[in-house]
Amino acid sequence: MSKKTLNKANLERLGAPKLAELVMELVQGSAALQRRARMELSAAQGPREVTADLRKRFASLRRSRSYVDWRKQRVLVKDLNSLLAQIETVIAPQDADEAFELLWSFLQLAPSIHERTDDSNGSVGDVFCEAITMIGLVAPRITINPQTLAERILDAVADAGYGEFDGIIPETAEALGPDGLEHLTKITKTWADTPPTPEELAAYERFGLSSSPADSVRRAKQSTCSIILADVADAQGDVDAYMARYSAEQLTYGTIAPDVARRLIDAGRVQKAYDILRRCMTREADTPFRSFNSNLDEVYEDCLNRLGKVEDLKVHLWSTFEQGLSARALRKYLKLLPDFDDVEAEEKALDAVETYPRLAAAISFLVDWPALDRAARIALARSDELDGDNYTTLSHAAEALDARHPLAATLLRRAMVEDTLKGAKSTRYRHAARHLAECQASEQEITDYGAVLTHEGFVGALREKHGRKYGFWSLVDD
């Protein structure tokens, strides 16, 4: 490796004086880099200096009111992560209590930071999730009184408008212990039943809701209470307490039943889990989102397996496969069959895929299985059904089919080109031009176009229909 390559080993050869000179030059004009350099200098002095600097930085972030746009958000996230890194590497190994307090203060920064930036991509929220995880690592070593900790958790969760304290109970369960968890349950129920304070009412009045502020406060407190009690029940291993937060009707919801059933299974109460799941599946059988709830299916399948209902499990897996082309369900089904029977069943399943009404889903399944010959066959046989708007599916399939099935790959790409031009989707012209170039590259591999237009004929037809799409043709003719 060249001695000029920019890496750690080569930089170390420069020596401390030269590196110090380079650092001073690099940090000039960058407040973020200067803060980082000062923090490293503090770390060299010991945990006490780092703690003081961290608290100063927290105060600065809390006071700041300037809006952080997407360009500056990366710098902010990097800054926040560096603060967490200092707590993790310098403070936590030496003083768990101090690390815990710093992390708690860090989480309390969330409202002021969220209020001045758009976290659509979740990068800021991820930093606070990481802080919660770090609390879980230091919490077993803290010396705080369990009842005091329970009271702090309730106050924090009740005031967390951005979910920054989500997950705090599981992460502190060991520190809370049985006494702390019991105390948290008691004070949470008392808090939820306490009439709204004037401050709480005033906060909801500002929202201009149709319901009365008092009703809104009560509903919000009951919702928070339910979440806290569920986390406590999980920490105590009390599945009945976890279920108690839901009504009989709610236990039939596909968003709730799988989680409850999983806890029952873990507690050895498989039959009870099965009964709940059966009621849920009966209720959800005709809902449009049924086929997308794989969590419900997987927990139900686990129940059937544990109860020895193998034939019922086979029927369910085959039905799940047929309804939504679930590769997961089909693979699981085939594993339950004797040798040789699974081969015949796989062929039957793939035959069914070829006639599946949603062509893009069928092609995607066959490409990923993989069964490329079948994917190419239906692309050719059902080319008039191709929807070029399925860019992700068709692009992936075209790449997979290109080597062995160039004509099928070409038809997929043509569908995307035609969709782009027909809809005048100018932002996709660059991609469409690339797809057309890929069609031309595949032409020499296609020995027989059959009834399909040759590349020259396809391009001619495109020019006739869309000759005025100058933005596209300028890319093609370039």
Side-chain angles (χ1 to χ4, degrees):
M1 182 180 292
S2 171
K3 292 184 178 181
K4 296 181 181 180
T5 302
L6 194 61
N7 57 36
K8 183 178 177 181
N10 286 340
L11 287 172
E12 286 176 345
R13 293 192 184 98
L14 295 177
K18 187 62 177 179
L19 286 174
E21 182 182 334
L22 283 173
V23 169
M24 288 301 298
E25 182 179 339
L26 290 172
V27 302
Q28 295 301 316
S30 172
L33 288 177
Q34 288 176 22
R35 283 195 298 270
R36 175 66 185 277
R38 291 193 193 98
M39 198 68 72
E40 292 297 337
L41 290 172
S42 294
Q45 302 301 312
R48 182 175 298 179
E49 293 293 329
V50 174
T51 297
D53 282 350
L54 285 169
R55 293 198 180 281
K56 288 179 183 178
R57 182 59 184 147
F58 291 173
S60 174
L61 287 167
R62 196 176 293 110
R63 289 193 304 268
S64 183
R65 294 292 180 267
S66 59
Y67 183 76
V68 180
D69 62 21
W70 64 272
R71 296 179 183 83
K72 298 177 182 177
Q73 194 179 88
R74 290 184 181 180
V75 176
L76 173 63
V77 169
K78 192 172 183 179
D79 183 21
L80 295 174
N81 276 319
S82 70
L83 298 177
L84 286 182
Q86 291 293 331
I87 297 173
E88 181 181 24
T89 59
V90 181
I91 310 299
Q94 303 293 326
D95 191 337
D97 285 321
E98 189 65 69
F100 180 85
E101 294 300 334
L102 287 168
L103 289 167
W104 199 274
S105 297
F106 181 87
L107 288 166
Q108 290 175 324
L109 295 173
S112 63
I113 291 176
H114 278 295
E115 286 168 5
R116 57 192 184 93
T117 191
D118 176 9
D119 192 32
S120 300
N121 60 9
S123 59
V124 175
D126 287 345
V127 179
F128 292 107
C129 287
E130 180 62 24
I132 290 288
T133 301
M134 288 176 60
I135 280 182
L137 297 176
V138 301
R141 297 187 286 121
I142 64 176
T143 59
I144 188 172
N145 179 276
Q147 293 190 350
T148 302
L149 176 58
E151 290 162 7
R152 287 181 63 175
I153 288 172
L154 175 58
D155 290 341
V157 174
D159 291 337
Y162 293 89
E164 61 270 21
F165 279 91
D166 288 356
I168 190 65
I169 295 172
E171 297 294 354
T172 56
E174 184 176 344
L176 284 165
D179 292 342
L181 290 169
E182 284 296 333
H183 186 60
L184 181 55
T185 298
K186 179 181 177 181
I187 61 176
T188 298
K189 291 179 178 179
T190 301
W191 167 77
D193 293 335
T194 301
T197 65
E199 292 77 14
E200 290 171 335
L201 292 173
Y204 276 85
E205 283 172 352
R206 291 197 298 270
F207 297 146
L209 302 174
S210 57
S211 59
S212 72
D215 288 341
S216 298
V217 172
R218 278 192 288 269
R219 281 196 299 270
K221 292 175 83 169
Q222 288 298 329
S223 175
T224 301
C225 174
S226 177
I227 293 170
I228 292 174
L229 295 182
D231 282 346
V232 170
D234 267 346
Q236 294 173 324
D238 188 346
V239 67
D240 290 306
Y242 183 89
M243 282 196 299
R245 65 186 291 219
Y246 301 116
S247 67
E249 180 183 359
Q250 288 174 322
L251 287 175
T252 65
Y253 296 169
T255 53
I256 294 174
D259 289 337
V260 172
R262 173 55 63 197
R263 286 165 170 81
L264 286 166
I265 291 171
D266 292 341
R269 297 162 64 182
V270 183
Q271 185 61 51
K272 178 68 173 177
Y274 173 79
D275 293 340
I276 287 176
L277 291 172
R278 283 302 307 163
R279 289 193 292 270
C280 173
M281 297 186 76
T282 299
R283 179 186 180 277
E284 295 225 329
D286 298 324
T287 63
F289 301 107
R290 171 67 190 87
S291 60
F292 297 102
N293 196 344
S294 60
N295 187 33
L296 174 60
D297 286 319
E298 291 180 39
V299 178
Y300 180 61
E301 290 157 17
D302 190 14
C303 269
L304 292 174
N305 185 54
R306 289 171 185 258
L307 292 171
K309 298 178 179 288
V310 179
E311 292 306 313
D312 288 347
L313 177 56
K314 289 180 184 177
V315 171
H316 171 76
L317 289 169
W318 183 261
S319 175
T320 301
F321 156 69
E322 283 190 314
Q323 289 174 9
L325 294 191
S326 169
R328 178 200 63 80
L330 179 57
R331 293 188 193 283
K332 201 168 183 178
Y333 173 81
L334 295 175
K335 287 181 180 179
L336 295 174
L337 301 179
D339 290 343
F340 304 111
D341 285 0
D342 59 339
V343 176
E344 182 179 346
E346 180 180 355
E347 289 300 308
K348 176 184 175 182
L350 297 182
D351 287 343
V353 174
E354 289 197 50
T355 61
Y356 193 70
R358 292 169 46 221
L359 179 58
I363 291 175
S364 179
F365 181 97
L366 293 171
V367 167
D368 292 339
W369 184 255
L372 298 183
D373 290 348
R374 288 176 177 269
R377 186 161 65 206
I378 62 171
L380 293 170
R382 300 170 60 182
S383 61
D384 57 328
E385 299 176 39
L386 287 171
D387 182 355
D389 192 40
N390 292 310
Y391 302 121
T392 302
T393 296
L394 298 191
S395 294
H396 173 63
E399 290 176 8
L401 296 174
D402 208 20
R404 290 176 50 191
H405 304 281
L407 181 56
T410 292
L411 290 178
L412 299 179
R413 288 170 174 144
R414 286 182 181 182
M416 290 186 284
V417 172
E418 289 184 303
D419 176 79
T420 297
L421 295 181
K422 184 178 179 180
K425 301 175 182 178
S426 58
T427 58
R428 287 201 53 82
Y429 281 175
R430 177 170 55 86
H431 299 290
R434 172 171 52 82
H435 291 318
L436 193 61
E438 288 168 340
C439 291
Q440 183 175 14
S442 296
E443 185 178 23
Q444 59 185 354
E445 303 297 329
I446 301 173
T447 57
D448 182 11
Y449 274 95
V452 177
L453 287 173
T454 63
H455 180 71
E456 182 180 356
F458 177 71
V459 173
L462 276 185
R463 288 190 183 276
E464 185 175 340
K465 290 181 183 178
H466 306 286
R468 297 173 66 86
K469 303 290 191 329
Y470 301 118
F472 169 74
W473 293 110
S474 65
L475 296 169
V476 173
D477 299 331
D478 187 9

